[in-house]
Every structure is written in C-alpha cells, then in structure tokens.
Amino acid sequence: MSIILHHLNASRSFRILWLLEEINQTYELKSYFRDKTTNLAPQELKNIHPLGKSPVIELNGKVIAESGAIVEILIEKFAPQLMPAKDSDSYLDYLQWIHFSESSAMVPYLLSIFNSIELKIGTQLKFLDRYAHAELDKVFSYLDQQLVGKKFLVGNSLTGADFMIGFVVYGLINSLNIRSKYLNIEQYVKSLESLESWQKAMSIEQNLHHQTNA
C-alpha cells in the first residue's frame, strides 16, 4: 500500500502529516511552498489535482483531496482504533465534529485571518468584520464548552475528530493570539502539542519553514 502526501507548508495538510506520524504508516512526502509574494500555493500542485490545493494524497495511485475525506479514509484503512464503533453514539459525535471543523469552525477562523490582513493595509471593514467576530465567538465559545473536563474531543481517546479540529484551534490560539478567552480550548491545544506524533509533524513543518527562508 503506497501513500504519497503532497504537502503545502502552513496549510491544512498538517492534519494529514500529523495523522500519518500518529499511525506510523510509511509514506512519501512531496513538499510544496507558498509563493512569497502572494502566499498562494504553487502552480505545481495543479499537476496533481485541478484545484491546486493541499492536502492531496495518492493512495495506490488514486488521487484524493479534501482533508476530512483523507482523514476518514486513512483511519478506516490503517487505524480503526482512531474512530469509535460505527454502531455507537460516539461515532455520530465523531462524524459531526469532523464536519464541524471544515464548516462551522473554519469559516469564521479564515474570515478573521483575512480581515486582520485587510485591516493592516487600511481596508475599511464594516459588516464583514462584525460578522466574523460574532461568528468566531459563537462557534468557539460552543467548542470551549464542549471541551470542559476533556482531554480529547470524542470520548476519552484520540480520534480523527482531533486531527481535524486541532489544526483550527492551534491557529486560533497562535495566529489570532486569542489567549485566556477560551481556556478549555487552550488546554486542549496544549494536550495535543504534548503528543509525540504532533511533535514529529511539527518538527517536519518547521524544517520546511526554514527551507523557505533559507
């Protein structure tokens, strides 16, 4: 079984890098770097998938995009211990959180990132900035409540839901510098950062960052 991860630095692809390190599955890493001027993915990624986005994997030659789908596929094939039993209520929670990560959570997070960039260059934002702030607080206050007394998102063990939301909340705490507001999320991020697989993936990511700035 061959796996190739087409990995773009500073992207959702970190989820898949982290997952592959967690399940200790042999894979080939092909790295791509954002354009230093536009911060967009390079054209070379379009040679792999027409959207030119990452993550993309090749699984036995089959090209698969979308991080949620990739997480579900890899876990079902190689690491079923990272998902609850399909006939359990926890499995329903698991699926909801996986999709929450790329829908409810990602939209206000990205809007806040983009708005901060626009504000720095003098763009006058009205509706969009208010909307982003309101949605961000609504979504992440909800998540913060759901994490009360928990180390992981579903049940008492690491699952694919953590790989999906971990990327978002790490960015929330570090890129948006939101600290001391969502204390349960902050503690959750610290728990994820303590995992050996996270540390290995982050080491790879940091090495790639150094390459782009060499």
Side-chain angles (χ1 to χ4, degrees):
M1 185 73 72
S2 65
I3 301 173
I4 300 172
L5 170 60
H6 296 276
H7 176 72
L8 177 66
N9 66 303
S11 78
R12 293 169 170 88
S13 185
F14 179 80
R15 292 165 165 158
I16 312 306
L17 182 64
W18 172 27
L19 175 58
L20 288 167
E21 289 297 327
E22 172 65 30
I23 64 180
N24 199 27
Q25 186 67 35
T26 301
Y27 66 97
E28 179 183 351
L29 182 66
K30 292 191 176 181
S31 302
Y32 303 80
F33 301 96
R34 293 182 180 276
D35 184 280
K36 291 185 178 180
T37 301
T38 66
N39 203 41
L40 297 176
Q43 287 294 312
E44 290 87 342
L45 267 172
K46 286 189 175 180
N47 296 332
I48 309 303
H49 189 280
L51 290 179
K53 295 180 179 293
S54 180
V56 174
I57 65 167
E58 291 182 62
L59 185 61
N60 284 347
K62 171 68 174 176
V63 175
I64 306 167
E66 302 299 336
S67 52
I70 295 170
V71 165
E72 288 194 59
I73 289 166
L74 290 179
I75 286 176
E76 287 206 21
K77 285 185 175 293
F78 303 109
Q81 72 275 13
L82 294 177
M83 58 184 278
K86 286 191 173 182
D87 59 353
S88 68
D89 286 347
S90 291
Y91 183 74
L92 302 180
D93 293 334
Y94 167 78
L95 287 181
Q96 288 185 82
W97 285 119
I98 281 181
H99 293 285
F100 171 92
S101 303
E102 272 300 293
S103 53
S104 297
M106 186 59 79
V107 172
Y109 168 68
L110 284 181
L111 280 178
S112 297
I113 293 287
F114 296 155
N115 285 353
S116 67
I117 295 171
E118 289 297 317
L119 289 169
K120 285 178 183 176
I121 62 176
T123 303
Q124 295 297 311
L125 300 174
K126 293 182 180 180
F127 168 77
L128 197 58
D129 196 41
R130 290 195 300 271
Y131 174 81
H133 274 94
E135 283 296 299
L136 188 85
D137 189 55
K138 178 175 69 176
V139 167
F140 290 102
S141 291
Y142 166 69
L143 177 60
D144 195 67
Q145 291 277 329
Q146 296 300 308
L147 285 168
V148 172
K150 291 183 178 180
K151 183 176 181 181
F152 299 110
L153 194 51
V154 179
N156 296 312
S157 61
L158 183 68
T159 70
D162 300 300
F163 290 90
M164 289 297 294
I165 200 64
F167 171 79
V168 187
V169 292
Y170 178 81
L172 177 79
I173 297 298
N174 292 282
S175 298
L176 291 178
N177 296 316
I178 297 177
R179 294 184 180 275
S180 302
K181 184 173 184 180
Y182 306 111
L183 294 178
N184 297 306
I185 291 177
E186 190 170 349
Q187 187 57 48
Y188 173 67
V189 170
K190 289 178 181 177
S191 294
L192 298 181
E193 289 177 312
S194 71
L195 297 172
E196 183 180 0
S197 56
W198 176 287
Q199 293 169 8
K200 286 180 178 178
M202 187 58 70
S203 177
I204 294 169
E205 182 74 12
Q206 289 170 346
N207 287 336
L208 292 174
H209 176 74
H210 293 325
Q211 288 180 36
T212 63
N213 293 286

